Amino acid sequence: MADMTIPDLIPNRIDGKEVPAASGDSFDKFNPADGKLLCRVARSREADVNRAVEAALAAQPEWAETTPVRRGEILYSVCNALKARQEEVARIVHLETGKSFKEALGETGGAIALGLFFAGEGQRLYGRTTTSGVPNKYAMTIRQPAGIAGLIIAANTPIANVAWKVFPALICGNAAILKAAEDTPATAWIFGQIAHEAGLPAGLLNIIQGFGDEAGAPLAAHPQVDVISFTGSTEVGREIAQVAGKRLAKVSLELGGKNPLVVCDDADLDNACKWVLLSAFSNAGQRCASAGRILVFDSIYEKFRDMLTAASSKLKVGPGDDDDFGPVINETQLENMLRTVRKAQEQGAVVLIGGERMTDRDHAQGFYMAPTLIENASPSAEISTTELFGPIACLYRVKDFAEALAMANDSPYGLTACIHTKSIHRATQFCQKVRTGVVVVNAGTYGSEPHMPFGGLKQSGNGSREPGTEALDIYSELKDVYINIDPEAL
Ligand code: NAD
């Protein structure tokens, strides 16, 4: 039985219309909080992607001719409509992720803030004017749409993930095909409906539901999709880079992390404890920027470990507004985590707290992983080097700043990092030397702002940054314009 706000079958949106998958196939989507069927979802394949690309190709030229200021006005209308229906959107996010309504409401607010930022970019979309080495010649750059944007997203913060890609793609004059995450189909569906009703012309935002290999892969491979922007795992990002790279399409990859949080001996330990809990466990650890590695100075290790374990044992897990975090997104994800924890234990790691699925009466039906802290894991063990995307963090001892920095950098990933210290010397040096795209002093490993560029080094990305004005570089092409005048003709 579907919830009132979510239809029984989540359709695609192609050329402004809601349509089932061409094959008529669908798959089940479950509520992670109670394991019950939430809805069925259009199971799209290449034929659906092709139809969406055709609709986008038909709609894009007129949108490209629309002034960026006017595009921005339409995106403002979309933001206003999102604001008017913020609670409805948040309720859908809550139902399909299991995170609390309160958190979902905040996430929806973040999506609106991001939309407003990019709507405003319609009044800027700056190019550059510069000098020429030749007399009577003028040089400048202008921004032009990339064309058709293929957007593929993860489920962890579904409305934020939609907004991060759709708003910059549209303001730059592209038509978009959004491949929704299979675990959060309804959030993409409601966004498409709201945008359409707010006046976004048909064909500019097409939404394809379905699995990655069936619906995402043909989008990445489609010869008429000019730019692919992907948020998801490093494994899939690598695959997409190969497929899209072969046809020389532009690719932006926002991938995983195994982010370090350093607690120095001079840190405010209460503040550090608060931020470790939030960085490791909020959103059930399902953040690319969550803290998976807590590096603690030797001299305070036992004290901090005990503080953290005591505080973790008080966390409330569930889908309610009073809970600290909810379930993970699906059962497969949960089983993967349990397997990795068991393997780590076999190799000598010690589970300080958690490590298990929660099976008491309130949690048994949902996909709940207990907040988990682990110590004694080898820095080279699988649990130390791979992203788990769940409420699990490992503690490591470090003897001093140099060892903390070295260990922070000893990772295949390079997304975010954080240090807790009162020393400006340690803080500044850490910010300079840590090999990540984001670094934070005295707070958490996560958190980003609409006007700031987010992204990572090494296996966390391919050098691109979104959002901020840097996202405009993904979704537009720069054109050099040279104007030569004839002084005799003046
Ligand atoms: P995932 O890579 O399994 O899936 C992400 C999306 O890719 C889904 O829509 C999926 O259907 C699609 N997909 C899967 N295989 C595909 C293929 N072969 N071709 C095209 N598309 C395909 O990731 P997930 O488990 O859903 O999400 C978690 C991951 O996302 C984590 O690694 C997390 O760190 C990352 N993430 C990164 C950021 C960031 O900004 N860096 C933000 C959020 C999440």
Side-chain angles (χ1 to χ4, degrees):
M1 176 66 185
D3 184 85
M4 280 171 59
T5 49
I6 297 181
D8 287 329
L9 176 69
I10 308 271
N12 291 327
R13 173 172 290 277
I14 299 179
D15 202 15
K17 292 176 209 67
E18 294 190 347
V19 290
S23 65
D25 290 349
S26 62
F27 63 93
D28 293 338
K29 157 69 191 163
F30 299 93
N31 181 336
D34 59 14
K36 290 190 183 139
L37 182 68
L38 191 61
C39 57
R40 286 174 314 116
V41 187
R43 184 167 174 175
S44 313
R45 297 189 177 84
E46 191 174 357
D48 304 282
V49 170
N50 290 345
R51 285 184 59 199
V53 174
E54 277 167 32
L57 283 166
Q60 195 267 338
E62 195 177 329
W63 186 240
E65 290 300 316
T66 306
T67 65
V69 172
R70 176 68 193 135
R71 286 180 218 147
E73 286 167 0
I74 293 173
L75 295 189
Y76 273 124
S77 302
V78 175
C79 292
N80 288 338
L82 265 177
K83 180 86 193 143
R85 293 174 69 181
Q86 187 171 352
E87 295 205 351
E88 190 186 342
V89 175
R91 182 157 164 67
I92 288 175
V93 171
H94 161 66
L95 284 172
E96 62 179 8
T97 62
K99 69 180 72 173
S100 71
F101 175 75
K102 190 172 80 184
E103 204 172 315
L105 200 63
E107 187 188 314
T108 312
I112 295 166
L114 189 132
L116 292 172
F117 172 76
F118 281 105
E121 279 306 299
Q123 291 164 313
R124 292 179 288 269
L125 279 191
Y126 295 131
R128 193 154 62 93
T129 55
T130 183
T131 55
S132 166
V134 178
N136 300 311
K137 182 177 173 186
Y138 296 86
M140 69 191 84
T141 61
I142 57 171
R143 281 188 190 279
Q144 299 205 311
I148 306 300
L151 314 174
I152 304 176
I153 54 173
N156 59 332
T157 47
I159 189 67
N161 293 0
V162 169
W164 268 43
K165 302 214 182 290
V166 169
F167 284 111
L170 290 176
I171 196 65
C172 288
N174 304 287
I177 298 108
L178 173 71
K179 209 298 272 171
E182 55 268 46
D183 286 310
T184 49
T187 303
W189 163 77
I190 191 86
F191 183 94
Q193 186 192 88
I194 289 171
H196 181 72
E197 288 174 10
L200 185 71
L204 292 179
L205 174 59
N206 304 283
I207 300 174
I208 294 292
Q209 305 285 352
F211 296 116
D213 53 346
E214 294 179 350
L219 183 59
H222 199 294
Q224 283 168 298
V225 175
D226 301 282
V227 52
I228 295 285
S229 176
F230 171 77
T231 295
S233 62
T234 294
E235 190 188 349
V236 174
R238 194 175 277 125
E239 172 79 23
I240 287 177
Q242 279 172 13
V243 171
K246 244 187 184 157
R247 58 183 186 85
L248 298 179
K250 199 173 186 182
V251 186
S252 170
L253 301 174
E254 308 261 352
L255 309 177
K258 188 79 180 176
N259 308 297
L261 187 153
V262 175
V263 185
C264 298
D265 53 1
D266 63 343
D268 172 341
L269 294 190
D270 288 324
N271 188 47
C273 185
K274 177 184 109 179
W275 280 107
V276 169
L277 294 184
L278 286 168
S279 300
F281 301 139
S282 66
N283 207 36
Q286 299 170 114
R287 298 182 191 279
C288 53
S290 72
R293 299 185 295 141
I294 316 302
L295 318 182
V296 187
F297 274 38
D298 215 1
S299 58
I300 53 154
Y301 182 87
E302 276 81 13
K303 181 178 179 194
F304 190 68
R305 176 193 64 193
D306 295 347
M307 280 173 76
L308 207 52
T309 312
S312 301
S313 70
K314 295 200 187 98
L315 292 176
K316 286 171 67 187
V317 181
D321 281 352
D322 293 336
D323 291 315
D324 292 291
F325 67 87
V328 298
I329 197 74
N330 60 46
E331 198 146 28
T332 311
Q333 174 72 6
L334 179 55
E335 278 161 9
N336 286 343
M337 281 176 223
L338 293 168
R339 209 173 15 251
T340 313
V341 171
R342 272 197 298 273
K343 193 168 157 195
Q345 281 176 296
E346 283 159 22
Q347 294 170 344
V350 175
V351 173
L352 295 167
I353 186 166
E356 301 286 350
R357 181 174 186 160
M358 299 175 78
T359 54
D360 59 291
R361 208 191 53 182
D362 289 345
H363 298 97
Q365 305 305 317
F367 313 138
Y368 291 98
M369 177 86 196
T372 298
L373 291 173
I374 289 173
E375 68 174 356
N376 283 358
S378 155
S380 60
E382 183 188 354
I383 200 157
S384 303
T385 55
T386 53
E387 184 185 42
L388 295 176
F389 221 54
I392 302 169
C394 294
L395 272 63
Y396 306 86
R397 276 175 197 273
V398 289
K399 68 172 189 297
D400 55 17
F401 178 84
E403 196 177 50
L405 179 62
M407 201 184 271
N409 283 336
D410 183 15
S411 171
Y413 297 102
L415 193 55
T416 74
C418 174
I419 187 166
H420 278 255
T421 178
K422 292 197 186 89
S423 159
I424 191 171
H425 311 288
R426 285 171 169 172
T428 306
Q429 186 74 345
F430 189 75
C431 290
Q432 290 292 330
K433 298 288 181 189
V434 75
R435 298 257 302 132
T436 56
V438 179
V439 58
V440 178
V441 177
N442 291 337
T445 47
Y446 68 97
S448 59
E449 303 204 19
H451 55 291
M452 293 289 281
F454 184 85
L457 316 182
K458 299 191 257 180
Q459 294 185 24
S460 295
N462 65 340
S464 63
R465 293 288 184 275
E466 299 181 50
T469 48
E470 286 76 3
L472 305 175
D473 294 335
I474 309 296
Y475 298 103
S476 61
E477 294 290 350
L478 284 180
K479 182 184 276 179
D480 285 5
V481 177
Y482 294 110
I483 298 176
N484 295 280
I485 63 155
D486 178 0
E488 300 298 319
L490 292 176

PDB file of all heavy atoms in Angstrom, residues 152-154 156 179-182 211-212 216-217 230-233 236 240 254-256 288 387 389 415 454, ligand 1:
ATOM      1  N   ILE A 152      23.585  11.874 -13.203  1.00  0.00           N
ATOM      2  CA  ILE A 152      23.376  10.577 -12.536  1.00  0.00           C
ATOM      3  C   ILE A 152      23.707  10.764 -11.058  1.00  0.00           C
ATOM      4  O   ILE A 152      24.805  11.237 -10.727  1.00  0.00           O
ATOM      5  CB  ILE A 152      24.275   9.492 -13.165  1.00  0.00           C
ATOM      6  CG1 ILE A 152      24.001   9.401 -14.676  1.00  0.00           C
ATOM      7  CG2 ILE A 152      24.032   8.132 -12.489  1.00  0.00           C
ATOM      8  CD1 ILE A 152      24.906   8.428 -15.433  1.00  0.00           C
ATOM      9  N   ILE A 153      22.772  10.401 -10.189  1.00  0.00           N
ATOM     10  CA  ILE A 153      22.949  10.776  -8.776  1.00  0.00           C
ATOM     11  C   ILE A 153      22.782   9.594  -7.810  1.00  0.00           C
ATOM     12  O   ILE A 153      22.162   8.596  -8.133  1.00  0.00           O
ATOM     13  CB  ILE A 153      21.969  11.902  -8.364  1.00  0.00           C
ATOM     14  CG1 ILE A 153      20.522  11.517  -8.694  1.00  0.00           C
ATOM     15  CG2 ILE A 153      22.362  13.212  -9.026  1.00  0.00           C
ATOM     16  CD1 ILE A 153      19.500  12.516  -8.160  1.00  0.00           C
ATOM     17  N   ALA A 154      23.331   9.808  -6.608  1.00  0.00           N
ATOM     18  CA  ALA A 154      23.220   8.842  -5.509  1.00  0.00           C
ATOM     19  C   ALA A 154      21.991   9.178  -4.654  1.00  0.00           C
ATOM     20  O   ALA A 154      21.368  10.227  -4.825  1.00  0.00           O
ATOM     21  CB  ALA A 154      24.488   8.892  -4.656  1.00  0.00           C
ATOM     22  N   ASN A 156      21.830   9.331  -1.160  1.00  0.00           N
ATOM     23  CA  ASN A 156      22.032   9.647   0.260  1.00  0.00           C
ATOM     24  C   ASN A 156      21.361  10.932   0.736  1.00  0.00           C
ATOM     25  O   ASN A 156      20.828  10.978   1.834  1.00  0.00           O
ATOM     26  CB  ASN A 156      23.529   9.663   0.582  1.00  0.00           C
ATOM     27  CG  ASN A 156      24.290  10.662  -0.248  1.00  0.00           C
ATOM     28  OD1 ASN A 156      23.896  10.978  -1.376  1.00  0.00           O
ATOM     29  ND2 ASN A 156      25.365  11.178   0.296  1.00  0.00           N
ATOM     30  N   LYS A 179      19.079  10.831 -14.295  1.00  0.00           N
ATOM     31  CA  LYS A 179      18.861   9.424 -13.922  1.00  0.00           C
ATOM     32  C   LYS A 179      18.760   9.405 -12.408  1.00  0.00           C
ATOM     33  O   LYS A 179      19.741   9.592 -11.703  1.00  0.00           O
ATOM     34  CB  LYS A 179      20.031   8.556 -14.406  1.00  0.00           C
ATOM     35  CG  LYS A 179      19.649   7.121 -14.718  1.00  0.00           C
ATOM     36  CD  LYS A 179      19.115   6.332 -13.537  1.00  0.00           C
ATOM     37  CE  LYS A 179      20.213   5.662 -12.757  1.00  0.00           C
ATOM     38  NZ  LYS A 179      19.727   5.076 -11.481  1.00  0.00           N
ATOM     39  N   ALA A 180      17.532   9.196 -11.909  1.00  0.00           N
ATOM     40  CA  ALA A 180      17.306   9.210 -10.463  1.00  0.00           C
ATOM     41  C   ALA A 180      18.004   8.014  -9.831  1.00  0.00           C
ATOM     42  O   ALA A 180      18.232   6.994 -10.479  1.00  0.00           O
ATOM     43  CB  ALA A 180      15.811   9.149 -10.191  1.00  0.00           C
ATOM     44  N   ALA A 181      18.333   8.132  -8.541  1.00  0.00           N
ATOM     45  CA  ALA A 181      18.872   6.979  -7.823  1.00  0.00           C
ATOM     46  C   ALA A 181      17.737   5.976  -7.610  1.00  0.00           C
ATOM     47  O   ALA A 181      16.617   6.364  -7.264  1.00  0.00           O
ATOM     48  CB  ALA A 181      19.448   7.427  -6.484  1.00  0.00           C
ATOM     49  N   GLU A 182      18.020   4.710  -7.806  1.00  0.00           N
ATOM     50  CA  GLU A 182      16.948   3.696  -7.708  1.00  0.00           C
ATOM     51  C   GLU A 182      16.372   3.601  -6.291  1.00  0.00           C
ATOM     52  O   GLU A 182      15.253   3.139  -6.113  1.00  0.00           O
ATOM     53  CB  GLU A 182      17.442   2.324  -8.179  1.00  0.00           C
ATOM     54  CG  GLU A 182      18.685   1.774  -7.491  1.00  0.00           C
ATOM     55  CD  GLU A 182      19.960   2.152  -8.216  1.00  0.00           C
ATOM     56  OE1 GLU A 182      20.113   3.336  -8.600  1.00  0.00           O
ATOM     57  OE2 GLU A 182      20.832   1.263  -8.384  1.00  0.00           O
ATOM     58  N   PHE A 211      17.660   1.240 -12.787  1.00  0.00           N
ATOM     59  CA  PHE A 211      18.942   0.785 -12.241  1.00  0.00           C
ATOM     60  C   PHE A 211      20.110   1.367 -13.029  1.00  0.00           C
ATOM     61  O   PHE A 211      19.968   1.740 -14.199  1.00  0.00           O
ATOM     62  CB  PHE A 211      18.997  -0.744 -12.269  1.00  0.00           C
ATOM     63  CG  PHE A 211      17.980  -1.393 -11.387  1.00  0.00           C
ATOM     64  CD1 PHE A 211      16.978  -2.185 -11.910  1.00  0.00           C
ATOM     65  CD2 PHE A 211      18.018  -1.204 -10.006  1.00  0.00           C
ATOM     66  CE1 PHE A 211      16.031  -2.784 -11.081  1.00  0.00           C
ATOM     67  CE2 PHE A 211      17.074  -1.797  -9.173  1.00  0.00           C
ATOM     68  CZ  PHE A 211      16.081  -2.587  -9.710  1.00  0.00           C
ATOM     69  N   GLY A 212      21.272   1.352 -12.381  1.00  0.00           N
ATOM     70  CA  GLY A 212      22.453   1.947 -12.990  1.00  0.00           C
ATOM     71  C   GLY A 212      22.871   1.288 -14.284  1.00  0.00           C
ATOM     72  O   GLY A 212      23.102   1.957 -15.295  1.00  0.00           O
ATOM     73  N   GLY A 216      21.352   4.001 -16.317  1.00  0.00           N
ATOM     74  CA  GLY A 216      22.465   4.958 -16.205  1.00  0.00           C
ATOM     75  C   GLY A 216      23.493   4.741 -17.304  1.00  0.00           C
ATOM     76  O   GLY A 216      23.967   5.697 -17.928  1.00  0.00           O
ATOM     77  N   ALA A 217      23.824   3.470 -17.533  1.00  0.00           N
ATOM     78  CA  ALA A 217      24.883   3.167 -18.511  1.00  0.00           C
ATOM     79  C   ALA A 217      24.545   3.679 -19.922  1.00  0.00           C
ATOM     80  O   ALA A 217      25.396   4.310 -20.561  1.00  0.00           O
ATOM     81  CB  ALA A 217      25.169   1.657 -18.511  1.00  0.00           C
ATOM     82  N   PHE A 230      28.234  13.042 -12.558  1.00  0.00           N
ATOM     83  CA  PHE A 230      27.920  11.842 -11.784  1.00  0.00           C
ATOM     84  C   PHE A 230      28.269  12.046 -10.319  1.00  0.00           C
ATOM     85  O   PHE A 230      29.367  12.503  -9.994  1.00  0.00           O
ATOM     86  CB  PHE A 230      28.721  10.660 -12.346  1.00  0.00           C
ATOM     87  CG  PHE A 230      28.650   9.416 -11.490  1.00  0.00           C
ATOM     88  CD1 PHE A 230      27.528   8.603 -11.508  1.00  0.00           C
ATOM     89  CD2 PHE A 230      29.707   9.056 -10.662  1.00  0.00           C
ATOM     90  CE1 PHE A 230      27.449   7.455 -10.723  1.00  0.00           C
ATOM     91  CE2 PHE A 230      29.643   7.905  -9.874  1.00  0.00           C
ATOM     92  CZ  PHE A 230      28.510   7.105  -9.904  1.00  0.00           C
ATOM     93  N   THR A 231      27.363  11.689  -9.430  1.00  0.00           N
ATOM     94  CA  THR A 231      27.651  11.596  -8.000  1.00  0.00           C
ATOM     95  C   THR A 231      27.380  10.170  -7.568  1.00  0.00           C
ATOM     96  O   THR A 231      26.255   9.681  -7.706  1.00  0.00           O
ATOM     97  CB  THR A 231      26.767  12.559  -7.188  1.00  0.00           C
ATOM     98  OG1 THR A 231      27.107  13.894  -7.545  1.00  0.00           O
ATOM     99  CG2 THR A 231      26.991  12.391  -5.704  1.00  0.00           C
ATOM    100  N   GLY A 232      28.394   9.499  -7.073  1.00  0.00           N
ATOM    101  CA  GLY A 232      28.211   8.119  -6.637  1.00  0.00           C
ATOM    102  C   GLY A 232      29.540   7.501  -6.258  1.00  0.00           C
ATOM    103  O   GLY A 232      30.502   8.205  -5.918  1.00  0.00           O
ATOM    104  N   SER A 233      29.600   6.191  -6.336  1.00  0.00           N
ATOM    105  CA  SER A 233      30.775   5.472  -5.849  1.00  0.00           C
ATOM    106  C   SER A 233      31.954   5.597  -6.820  1.00  0.00           C
ATOM    107  O   SER A 233      31.770   5.829  -8.027  1.00  0.00           O
ATOM    108  CB  SER A 233      30.431   3.995  -5.673  1.00  0.00           C
ATOM    109  OG  SER A 233      30.070   3.444  -6.921  1.00  0.00           O
ATOM    110  N   VAL A 236      31.775   2.963  -9.752  1.00  0.00           N
ATOM    111  CA  VAL A 236      30.907   3.315 -10.888  1.00  0.00           C
ATOM    112  C   VAL A 236      31.464   4.551 -11.613  1.00  0.00           C
ATOM    113  O   VAL A 236      31.412   4.629 -12.845  1.00  0.00           O
ATOM    114  CB  VAL A 236      29.445   3.538 -10.423  1.00  0.00           C
ATOM    115  CG1 VAL A 236      28.589   4.042 -11.577  1.00  0.00           C
ATOM    116  CG2 VAL A 236      28.873   2.247  -9.867  1.00  0.00           C
ATOM    117  N   ILE A 240      32.063   5.011 -15.606  1.00  0.00           N
ATOM    118  CA  ILE A 240      31.471   6.110 -16.384  1.00  0.00           C
ATOM    119  C   ILE A 240      32.559   6.917 -17.095  1.00  0.00           C
ATOM    120  O   ILE A 240      32.411   7.302 -18.254  1.00  0.00           O
ATOM    121  CB  ILE A 240      30.598   6.999 -15.471  1.00  0.00           C
ATOM    122  CG1 ILE A 240      29.321   6.227 -15.142  1.00  0.00           C
ATOM    123  CG2 ILE A 240      30.288   8.348 -16.109  1.00  0.00           C
ATOM    124  CD1 ILE A 240      28.380   6.921 -14.206  1.00  0.00           C
ATOM    125  N   GLU A 254      31.847  13.191  -8.834  1.00  0.00           N
ATOM    126  CA  GLU A 254      31.850  13.465  -7.382  1.00  0.00           C
ATOM    127  C   GLU A 254      31.747  12.107  -6.698  1.00  0.00           C
ATOM    128  O   GLU A 254      30.671  11.526  -6.642  1.00  0.00           O
ATOM    129  CB  GLU A 254      30.630  14.312  -7.011  1.00  0.00           C
ATOM    130  CG  GLU A 254      30.451  15.556  -7.833  1.00  0.00           C
ATOM    131  CD  GLU A 254      30.971  16.783  -7.119  1.00  0.00           C
ATOM    132  OE1 GLU A 254      31.317  16.667  -5.936  1.00  0.00           O
ATOM    133  OE2 GLU A 254      31.036  17.833  -7.753  1.00  0.00           O
ATOM    134  N   LEU A 255      32.864  11.610  -6.159  1.00  0.00           N
ATOM    135  CA  LEU A 255      32.916  10.200  -5.749  1.00  0.00           C
ATOM    136  C   LEU A 255      33.046  10.048  -4.225  1.00  0.00           C
ATOM    137  O   LEU A 255      32.727  10.949  -3.477  1.00  0.00           O
ATOM    138  CB  LEU A 255      34.039   9.502  -6.509  1.00  0.00           C
ATOM    139  CG  LEU A 255      33.990   9.706  -8.036  1.00  0.00           C
ATOM    140  CD1 LEU A 255      35.174   9.044  -8.725  1.00  0.00           C
ATOM    141  CD2 LEU A 255      32.676   9.205  -8.619  1.00  0.00           C
ATOM    142  N   GLY A 256      33.556   8.914  -3.825  1.00  0.00           N
ATOM    143  CA  GLY A 256      33.536   8.563  -2.412  1.00  0.00           C
ATOM    144  C   GLY A 256      34.674   9.170  -1.601  1.00  0.00           C
ATOM    145  O   GLY A 256      35.543   9.878  -2.106  1.00  0.00           O
ATOM    146  N   CYS A 288      29.346  11.178   1.490  1.00  0.00           N
ATOM    147  CA  CYS A 288      30.683  11.054   0.919  1.00  0.00           C
ATOM    148  C   CYS A 288      31.689  11.695   1.856  1.00  0.00           C
ATOM    149  O   CYS A 288      32.850  11.336   1.881  1.00  0.00           O
ATOM    150  CB  CYS A 288      30.714  11.724  -0.443  1.00  0.00           C
ATOM    151  SG  CYS A 288      30.130  13.419  -0.396  1.00  0.00           S
ATOM    152  N   GLU A 387      35.464   2.762   1.536  1.00  0.00           N
ATOM    153  CA  GLU A 387      34.321   3.514   2.040  1.00  0.00           C
ATOM    154  C   GLU A 387      33.204   2.533   2.404  1.00  0.00           C
ATOM    155  O   GLU A 387      32.883   1.644   1.625  1.00  0.00           O
ATOM    156  CB  GLU A 387      33.842   4.452   0.938  1.00  0.00           C
ATOM    157  CG  GLU A 387      32.714   5.348   1.362  1.00  0.00           C
ATOM    158  CD  GLU A 387      32.181   6.168   0.201  1.00  0.00           C
ATOM    159  OE1 GLU A 387      32.045   5.610  -0.903  1.00  0.00           O
ATOM    160  OE2 GLU A 387      31.905   7.351   0.398  1.00  0.00           O
ATOM    161  N   PHE A 389      30.082   3.722   3.840  1.00  0.00           N
ATOM    162  CA  PHE A 389      28.825   4.446   3.638  1.00  0.00           C
ATOM    163  C   PHE A 389      27.769   4.022   4.661  1.00  0.00           C
ATOM    164  O   PHE A 389      26.609   3.760   4.320  1.00  0.00           O
ATOM    165  CB  PHE A 389      28.325   4.225   2.203  1.00  0.00           C
ATOM    166  CG  PHE A 389      27.780   5.494   1.593  1.00  0.00           C
ATOM    167  CD1 PHE A 389      28.544   6.645   1.571  1.00  0.00           C
ATOM    168  CD2 PHE A 389      26.504   5.538   1.048  1.00  0.00           C
ATOM    169  CE1 PHE A 389      28.061   7.817   1.014  1.00  0.00           C
ATOM    170  CE2 PHE A 389      25.999   6.710   0.503  1.00  0.00           C
ATOM    171  CZ  PHE A 389      26.785   7.843   0.484  1.00  0.00           C
ATOM    172  N   LEU A 415      38.834  13.338  -0.214  1.00  0.00           N
ATOM    173  CA  LEU A 415      37.671  14.230  -0.340  1.00  0.00           C
ATOM    174  C   LEU A 415      37.674  15.330   0.726  1.00  0.00           C
ATOM    175  O   LEU A 415      37.830  16.499   0.415  1.00  0.00           O
ATOM    176  CB  LEU A 415      36.383  13.394  -0.280  1.00  0.00           C
ATOM    177  CG  LEU A 415      35.096  14.124  -0.692  1.00  0.00           C
ATOM    178  CD1 LEU A 415      35.213  14.729  -2.076  1.00  0.00           C
ATOM    179  CD2 LEU A 415      33.904  13.177  -0.632  1.00  0.00           C
ATOM    180  N   PHE A 454      32.831  22.086  -4.307  1.00  0.00           N
ATOM    181  CA  PHE A 454      33.063  20.864  -3.525  1.00  0.00           C
ATOM    182  C   PHE A 454      33.644  19.805  -4.453  1.00  0.00           C
ATOM    183  O   PHE A 454      33.242  19.697  -5.607  1.00  0.00           O
ATOM    184  CB  PHE A 454      31.720  20.385  -2.945  1.00  0.00           C
ATOM    185  CG  PHE A 454      31.832  19.194  -2.044  1.00  0.00           C
ATOM    186  CD1 PHE A 454      32.140  19.343  -0.709  1.00  0.00           C
ATOM    187  CD2 PHE A 454      31.627  17.921  -2.534  1.00  0.00           C
ATOM    188  CE1 PHE A 454      32.249  18.244   0.134  1.00  0.00           C
ATOM    189  CE2 PHE A 454      31.732  16.811  -1.701  1.00  0.00           C
ATOM    190  CZ  PHE A 454      32.043  16.986  -0.366  1.00  0.00           C
TER     191      PHE A 454
HETATM  192  P1  NAD B   1      26.486   4.054  -6.878  1.00  0.00           P
HETATM  193  O1  NAD B   1      27.745   4.444  -7.550  1.00  0.00           O
HETATM  194  O2  NAD B   1      26.187   2.616  -6.709  1.00  0.00           O
HETATM  195  O3  NAD B   1      25.221   4.661  -7.655  1.00  0.00           O
HETATM  196  C1  NAD B   1      25.112   6.035  -7.937  1.00  0.00           C
HETATM  197  C2  NAD B   1      24.251   6.214  -9.174  1.00  0.00           C
HETATM  198  O4  NAD B   1      24.908   5.629 -10.294  1.00  0.00           O
HETATM  199  C3  NAD B   1      22.878   5.536  -9.087  1.00  0.00           C
HETATM  200  O5  NAD B   1      21.926   6.371  -9.702  1.00  0.00           O
HETATM  201  C4  NAD B   1      23.084   4.268  -9.901  1.00  0.00           C
HETATM  202  O6  NAD B   1      21.904   3.772 -10.457  1.00  0.00           O
HETATM  203  C5  NAD B   1      24.023   4.764 -10.980  1.00  0.00           C
HETATM  204  N1  NAD B   1      24.832   3.714 -11.626  1.00  0.00           N
HETATM  205  C6  NAD B   1      25.249   2.536 -11.100  1.00  0.00           C
HETATM  206  N2  NAD B   1      25.952   1.837 -12.027  1.00  0.00           N
HETATM  207  C7  NAD B   1      25.998   2.598 -13.145  1.00  0.00           C
HETATM  208  C8  NAD B   1      26.584   2.443 -14.428  1.00  0.00           C
HETATM  209  N3  NAD B   1      27.271   1.361 -14.744  1.00  0.00           N
HETATM  210  N4  NAD B   1      26.444   3.428 -15.341  1.00  0.00           N
HETATM  211  C9  NAD B   1      25.754   4.551 -15.032  1.00  0.00           C
HETATM  212  N5  NAD B   1      25.161   4.755 -13.838  1.00  0.00           N
HETATM  213  C10 NAD B   1      25.277   3.800 -12.898  1.00  0.00           C
HETATM  214  O7  NAD B   1      26.521   4.818  -5.504  1.00  0.00           O
HETATM  215  P2  NAD B   1      25.517   4.712  -4.265  1.00  0.00           P
HETATM  216  O8  NAD B   1      25.902   3.544  -3.449  1.00  0.00           O
HETATM  217  O9  NAD B   1      24.116   4.869  -4.721  1.00  0.00           O
HETATM  218  O10 NAD B   1      25.913   6.072  -3.516  1.00  0.00           O
HETATM  219  C11 NAD B   1      26.936   6.132  -2.611  1.00  0.00           C
HETATM  220  C12 NAD B   1      28.211   6.692  -3.188  1.00  0.00           C
HETATM  221  O11 NAD B   1      28.024   8.022  -3.643  1.00  0.00           O
HETATM  222  C13 NAD B   1      29.300   6.768  -2.147  1.00  0.00           C
HETATM  223  O12 NAD B   1      30.498   6.314  -2.699  1.00  0.00           O
HETATM  224  C14 NAD B   1      29.383   8.253  -1.835  1.00  0.00           C
HETATM  225  O13 NAD B   1      30.611   8.662  -1.308  1.00  0.00           O
HETATM  226  C15 NAD B   1      29.077   8.849  -3.158  1.00  0.00           C
HETATM  227  N6  NAD B   1      28.669  10.254  -3.028  1.00  0.00           N
HETATM  228  C16 NAD B   1      29.559  11.239  -3.396  1.00  0.00           C
HETATM  229  C17 NAD B   1      29.223  12.587  -3.235  1.00  0.00           C
HETATM  230  C18 NAD B   1      30.203  13.672  -3.624  1.00  0.00           C
HETATM  231  O14 NAD B   1      29.755  14.807  -3.794  1.00  0.00           O
HETATM  232  N7  NAD B   1      31.484  13.397  -3.746  1.00  0.00           N
HETATM  233  C19 NAD B   1      27.974  12.926  -2.705  1.00  0.00           C
HETATM  234  C20 NAD B   1      27.104  11.907  -2.352  1.00  0.00           C
HETATM  235  C21 NAD B   1      27.465  10.569  -2.518  1.00  0.00           C
END
